[in-house]
Amino acid sequence: MKKLPCVIASIVLLVFCQVISAHAQALGGRSIVSFKNGSNYFPLVADGKSAPLYTDTAEYPGVKIAVKNLQADIVSVSQSSPVLLAGTTRNAKQIVIIGSIGKSRLINKLISEKKLDVSSIAGKWEAHLTQVVKNPLPGIAQALVIAGSDKRGTIYGVYELSAQIGVSPWHWWADVPVQEHKSLYVLPGRSVDAGPAVKYRGIFINDEAPSFSGWAKEKFGGINHKVYERVFELILRLKGNYLWPAMWGNAFNDDDKLDPVLADEYGIVMGTSHHEPMDRAQQEWKRYGKGPWNYEQNGAVLRDFWKKGIENMGSKETIVTVGMRGDGDMPMTEGSNIALLEKIVDDQRKIIADVTGKDASKTPQMWALYKEVQDYYDKGMRVPDDVTLLLCDDNWGNIRKLPGLDEKQRKGGYGIYYHFDYVGGPRNYKWLNTNPISKTWEQMHLAYEYGAKQVWIVNVGDLKPMEFPISFFLDYAWGPDRWPAKRLGDYTRLWAAQQFGPVHAGEIADILTLYTKYNGRRKPELLDQTTYSLVNYQEFENVVNDYNKLKERTLRLYKLIAPKYKDAYYQLVMHPVEACSNLNELDFEAAKNRLFAEQGRAETNITAENVKRLFAKDAEISSYYNKVLANGKWNHMMDQTHIGYTYWQQPPVDKMPEVKTIELPESPQMGVAIEGSAAWWPMEKSKPILPALNPGDKDGCYIDIFNRGKDKFEFTAASTAPYVTILPKNGQVGIGQRILVNVDWSRAPKGLQHVPVSISGLGDKLVVDVIVNNFPASRASGFWENNGYISIEAAHYSKAVASANAGWLIIPGYGRTLSGVMPTPVTIKRQMPGGNSPHLEYEINTTDTGAVKVEAYVSPTIDFKNADGLHYAVSIDDEQPRLVNIDADKSEAAWNKSVSDNIKIFTTIHHLYKAGKHVLKYWMVDPAVVLEKIVINTGGEKPNYLGPPESFRK
């Protein structure tokens, strides 16, 4: 009977895979492709023949490009090549008709003859429908029609079909192989996509040196139109439409005159970054500008410079950046004032109107409220209503400002500039993906609900290795309603299935979720030997062990997947796990080296060698990615330095952590260290006491017996209590021996016991106190205090109290440990804590009376309303709730710490008048405060990074 769950799971997996093998999976939409025939199915490829692809000769160039790519995709999947038809149908029995409403004569004909109903998409932005039409034209029995409301609507319809037949949007950029099928059918009926929720959705290739720029130079001769054609196609396959091009030493419109021409042909809306106004790159000013970048001193020259940018833009789709920052993405001069900045925008709009010959409001414009520019806005600076206000995060994924719910709607709307990559304080983060999609979801959900829907642009650094969060960002921008928090796991599994097929999608999704959570705890560039505690709660060891377990899972799966998937798997899954597990272990060994050298352990020199080995391994991993992976296709993409930061800017080369070596005497010397202390005995004179053990502890505690010399010695470890287990009880110590102390709880007496464990060796004896805390049999429900604290994951509440208008939402996978809990909806008004207002209840059991500290671990959310902060409240039992403002400290030091740690921890002090059962209440006050963990410190919590492990709960 025990095997039954495994059998059921196997059957479910088999059925799931069979369903997938018969029908394509759409990422959030309706599946329209089948790999087996059915009643009235349209044969896209059948019996070795492909239905021809028809487009009008007058169709948009971007549509024609997409259709050619569809042709290539069909060949890749089925090895059958469809004929491309332009302007003639050749009386094919079955045909694919692709066209834009108003542009394609054949689409227009089908509409006028009422054979195609486009009322659901006509006049909408980037909408499309796919429909199987019977007898559309004389001599044609069946047509698959892909019709778009505009050029990109049609393009998206084409690429949706490509994706559903088995071609990932990342097929070129991540070497994802196609999923081959000899037969391709489209289901009867119609599928409508009414268009995106966010109008402009794009990426910013930024901070591109040394990786992206080095790769592009080697493979394409530079960042030119050959590179950008690949970028354009990727964006469109991902249903994006907007690009800020690379600008570190590059000028999109000037470096290669084909760049802007091809962008417009493909259907990409171009822009320039937040500090490059009037469609001119910073590098163009360096090449052609004369005098200072100062409007008061050099206005005429700047106006001429900007005029040339608008002239070069012509009629190409562009969102023109207006406003002005200092040269090189720096703040304006101290004396800059609002009147001057408003005049700059006014003069820029006059240039736009003069050059285009139409009112400035007819040309899309954007003003980025980036860094200090937001201060100008907050102090009263305004731009015309048709200009989009691009609101920004703090460069670390926390949105700084959103429009008020009661604010008048702007014609130009609001947008968001977000970051997956950043160069600046407190530390660059450029190397690997550190962006859990749960965090992206939480912040972009907030933005959408508050009306920032015009533009979403995300800084993606080198583009690789941000494939997964880029996909999510653009998919979420297209259809936020498709991806509520509870479906984030579904999104990850579907994305994994799109790249690797369904068989291992669940396992891959779990790896993606875990590695981004681990990386999100602290950016790799900020990791060092002091990040995690080496002695308390086995924190550093557990972090490294968890990452190494994830690496082993990843390696096992690498061996199982088909050879054709291995390059893609390495890029998208294995490399970040392998590289970051290695980096965490490197810092762990460096931390041990420092401690062991102080204790004189013989293991000191081994840890020094381990650091050297792991540092060399880091270089090997990068070299494999650059030189071996995909036959060197991605050389230089892993050139980014990431070890040895001393301040915010990257080191010129990776630098190994310093290590120490020691000289050991020939004769052995016994040393003893225990969990929870950096001291060692016999040097330390106080009594060694292990952390108290309780029934929730599975792993017990450790005692380290170590050698301070070269020769070996014998040891024994013993206890008088039969319920205390010791492994091993005796042996020989060459370098060191870890002893694990645990409890057989079925034999342990109830209550609190102090059990001596004696360690003997070389004629010496040390007695370690082991505290056994076996809670009373009648213990109450809830979390129980042990070792002077109670630690609780936010989602493990006893009760969630909601109101008619406000409730609680768990965000799976959010934050540093388990998940996050936040108020919902995010647009609720401030709640008054107390009574039966919304709150979470946590049952706790304490051992004493007196003052306790309640530590709330909340996300580093910023007061996006720019009001009096975001608040929560906390109380124990029936006391008055204590109000906490999570944005009270606006200092740079506080912000640096919160984004570096990816958490804010706030402490309130409460008094307990009795021991035993209590109810802690966490009260809703403001939306967007995401709770991750609660720690009740009764006096025993020790220094750590992630918070103590969760306490025992009945």
Side-chain angles (χ1 to χ4, degrees), residues 80-360:
S80 176
S81 180
V83 175
L84 295 183
L85 302 178
T88 176
T89 59
R90 293 187 184 175
N91 294 320
K93 185 178 180 182
Q94 280 97 12
I95 191 170
V96 181
I97 301 172
I98 301 168
S100 307
I101 298 172
K103 196 72 172 176
S104 168
R105 287 166 292 187
L106 200 47
I107 294 292
N108 293 342
K109 178 179 174 63
L110 292 175
I111 295 170
S112 65
E113 294 178 354
K114 301 189 182 305
K115 294 182 178 180
L116 184 67
D117 179 4
V118 296
S119 59
S120 57
I121 65 169
K124 293 185 177 180
W125 178 263
E126 298 179 344
H128 62 88
L129 65 80
T130 301
Q131 180 176 342
V132 176
V133 178
K134 292 183 178 180
N135 305 312
L137 297 167
I140 298 179
Q142 199 179 29
L144 173 64
V145 178
I146 300 175
S149 62
D150 52 26
K151 65 180 176 182
R152 276 188 296 274
T154 310
I155 291 168
Y156 296 143
V158 171
Y159 284 137
E160 176 64 23
L161 182 59
S162 282
Q164 291 214 25
I165 67 173
V167 180
S168 164
W170 295 100
H171 73 98
W172 191 86
W173 279 98
D175 302 299
V176 177
V178 300
Q179 299 175 25
E180 297 180 4
H181 300 277
K182 293 296 183 183
S183 299
L184 300 171
Y185 297 90
V186 177
L187 276 61
R190 59 193 273 124
S191 176
V192 177
D193 195 320
V198 176
K199 187 171 185 178
Y200 296 105
R201 312 160 307 282
I203 62 174
F204 178 19
I205 298 174
N206 191 30
D207 310 325
E208 65 270 14
S211 297
F212 188 90
S213 57
W215 167 77
K217 184 175 182 180
E218 177 181 303
K219 303 301 180 183
F220 296 94
I223 302 179
N224 53 32
H225 76 274
K226 297 176 184 177
V227 178
Y228 279 120
E229 283 194 272
R230 295 290 187 180
V231 175
F232 301 154
E233 181 185 334
L234 173 68
I235 291 172
L236 292 167
R237 283 182 182 268
L238 292 171
K239 289 189 176 179
N241 60 7
Y242 185 40
L243 174 66
W244 287 359
M247 45 74 60
W248 276 28
N250 300 290
F252 180 83
N253 294 319
D254 194 54
D255 292 341
D256 184 339
K257 297 303 182 183
L258 283 175
D259 285 351
V261 173
L262 288 171
D264 199 54
E265 285 189 4
Y266 270 80
I268 296 295
V269 182
M270 291 303 303
T272 47
S273 71
H274 57 91
H275 66 99
E276 297 176 303
M278 301 294 279
D279 207 33
R280 298 214 76 174
Q282 176 193 349
Q283 291 301 314
E284 291 183 76
W285 177 254
K286 290 186 175 181
R287 296 170 190 176
Y288 309 118
K290 297 178 181 179
W293 181 266
N294 185 303
Y295 201 70
E296 288 179 297
Q297 299 174 18
N298 203 23
V301 173
L302 282 163
R303 285 191 294 273
D304 286 342
F305 175 74
W306 290 336
K307 180 180 179 182
K308 184 65 174 175
I310 303 304
E311 289 173 346
N312 291 339
M313 178 187 76
S315 61
K316 294 183 284 292
E317 269 193 289
T318 308
I319 302 176
V320 179
T321 298
V322 297
M324 189 176 184
R325 287 195 85 212
D327 194 16
D329 198 15
M330 299 300 289
M332 292 279 277
T333 58
E334 190 93 11
S336 299
N337 57 55
I338 289 173
L340 172 63
L341 291 166
E342 288 179 338
K343 175 175 171 50
I344 289 170
V345 173
D346 186 53
D347 289 350
Q348 289 171 338
R349 285 170 64 83
K350 289 177 181 176
I351 293 170
I352 292 170
D354 289 345
V355 174
T356 63
K358 52 189 179 183
D359 190 87

Side-chain angles (χ1 to χ4, degrees), residues 413-490:
Y414 297 87
I416 295 293
Y417 172 34
Y418 202 69
H419 285 75
F420 291 156
D421 161 288
Y422 179 59
V423 168
R427 189 65 54 87
N428 292 359
Y429 61 97
K430 299 174 59 182
W431 179 41
L432 293 175
N433 174 28
T434 59
N435 306 282
I437 66 169
S438 55
K439 170 71 173 184
T440 305
W441 179 89
E442 180 255 328
Q443 285 290 292
M444 300 315 295
H445 170 69
L446 193 66
Y448 185 77
E449 293 299 313
Y450 275 80
K453 304 177 181 180
Q454 186 73 1
V455 177
W456 284 9
I457 182 86
V458 59
N459 185 330
V460 300
D462 300 308
L463 196 152
K464 297 178 69 66
M466 302 297 174
E467 297 94 343
F468 179 47
I470 289 172
S471 286
F472 178 76
F473 184 88
L474 295 176
D475 280 331
Y476 191 68
W478 184 274
D481 292 342
R482 295 178 181 178
W483 305 115
K486 66 182 180 181
R487 291 204 66 211
L488 293 177
D490 293 339

